[in-house]
Amino acid sequence: MNPTLWRRLLAEFVGTALLVTAVVGSGIMATRLSDDIGLQLLENSVATAFALGALILTFGPVSGAHFNPVVSAVDWFLGRRTGTGLSAQDLGGYIGAQTAGAIGGAVLADLMFKLPAVDIAAKHRTGTDLWLGEVVATTGLLLLIFALARSGRASVAPAAVGAYIGAAYWFTSSTSFANPAVTIGRAFTDTFAGIAPSSVPGFIVAQLVGLAVGVGLLLALYPSVGSAAGDVVVHPDGESVRS
């Protein structure tokens, strides 16, 4: 039985907020603990990967733990013909909750570390190399999530998605934002994880390109993937949860 929409939206809001809090907060802590940029990135990536896995376990049974507009958009797109996944109305609510949560998470992290609640980032992240990194990161994330759902292995999603994001910090030039809501949220903190507002549109366009590439590959590799669009996580008893 599906949880009510307000519960799912609350789960997406809180889950995305805590994810961005983990990303920003661990970045702040990393810069305070070390002067080595490589070590700072390692600390940031490990904390983010573990936090993401834990958050998927926590909120997955309620909302599917998307925490990401591109994941929600693909869930809607692939499932619209078979009646699985999100409805168009739900999609709008998910994107709004995720974006608001991401901004709130950045503010929360700043406040925890005695920084201005809203401090617009000044770190410019732009260039075809970074945009290509976002295409790769987003495509890979979508392939992983929906391939797991299609093959009946959604129960390993928390570990798999956390591991992928942790690895993608290192193998992509952009350090793998792969999430429009998180990208917007990170513009509200002038810290290690921040991104200047002027750089946000380029990242989001690249993520949307990754969405298109990911959908194309999913349909080519798994023609019936739409039937599993709503299978996001699995309860301990093995029963699928529809998002």
Side-chain angles (χ1 to χ4, degrees), residues 4 17 26 29 52 60 62 70 79-80 91 118 124 130 132 136 141 159 171 178 180 185 187-188 198 233 235 241:
T4 57
S26 62
M29 182 65 81
L52 180 56
V62 181
V70 296
R80 71 195 191 287
L91 174 61
V118 176
H124 294 280
L130 300 186
L132 179 59
V136 171
L141 177 64
F171 72 73
F188 286 79
S198 61
V233 296
H235 282 303
V241 177

Side-chain angles (χ1 to χ4, degrees), residues 154-227:
S155 60
V156 303
V161 173
Y164 174 82
I165 291 298
Y169 260 80
W170 291 89
F171 72 73
T172 64
S173 55
S174 63
T175 66
S176 183
F177 286 46
N179 185 327
V182 168
T183 303
I184 292 170
R186 289 169 68 165
F188 286 79
T189 177
D190 192 22
T191 59
F192 182 80
I195 177 173
S198 61
S199 299
V200 169
F203 265 55
I204 292 179
V205 169
Q207 291 155 2
L208 294 178
V209 172
L211 182 158
V213 174
V215 167
L217 288 173
L218 282 167
L219 291 174
L221 295 169
Y222 300 95
S224 60
V225 68
S227 63

Side-chain angles (χ1 to χ4, degrees), residues 15-236:
T16 309
L18 292 176
L19 173 59
V20 174
T21 299
V23 172
V24 174
S26 62
I28 296 170
M29 182 65 81
T31 59
R32 294 184 178 182
L33 293 176
S34 173
D35 294 325
D36 184 274
I37 296 177
L39 183 56
Q40 291 170 358
L41 184 62
L42 177 62
E43 294 161 346
N44 190 206
S45 63
V46 169
T48 299
F50 284 137
L52 180 56
L55 290 170
I56 294 173
L57 285 171
T58 302
F59 296 103
V62 181
S63 68
H66 294 184
F67 310 149
N68 189 333
V70 296
V71 173
S72 298
V74 173
D75 190 67
W76 164 77
F77 181 81
L78 293 179
R80 71 195 191 287
R81 292 181 179 176
T82 57
T84 59
L86 297 176
S87 67
Q89 178 182 356
D90 290 354
L91 174 61
Y94 267 51
I95 292 174
Q98 291 156 356
T99 304
I103 296 171
V107 171
L108 177 60
D110 282 344
L111 290 174
M112 283 198 301
F113 288 91
K114 294 185 177 180
L115 298 173
V118 176
D119 192 9
I120 302 301
K123 183 179 294 185
H124 294 280
R125 303 175 188 260
T126 187
T128 54
D129 56 332
L130 300 186
W131 298 333
L132 179 59
E134 281 301 286
V135 173
V136 171
T138 306
T139 299
L141 177 64
L142 295 174
L143 285 174
L144 173 63
I145 291 172
F146 288 92
L148 289 175
R150 175 62 184 84
S151 59
R153 296 175 293 162
S155 60
V156 303
V161 173
Y164 174 82
I165 291 298
Y169 260 80
W170 291 89
F171 72 73
T172 64
S173 55
S174 63
T175 66
S176 183
F177 286 46
N179 185 327
V182 168
T183 303
I184 292 170
R186 289 169 68 165
F188 286 79
T189 177
D190 192 22
T191 59
F192 182 80
I195 177 173
S198 61
S199 299
V200 169
F203 265 55
I204 292 179
V205 169
Q207 291 155 2
L208 294 178
V209 172
L211 182 158
V213 174
V215 167
L217 288 173
L218 282 167
L219 291 174
L221 295 169
Y222 300 95
S224 60
V225 68
S227 63
D231 296 330
V232 180
V233 296
V234 176
H235 282 303

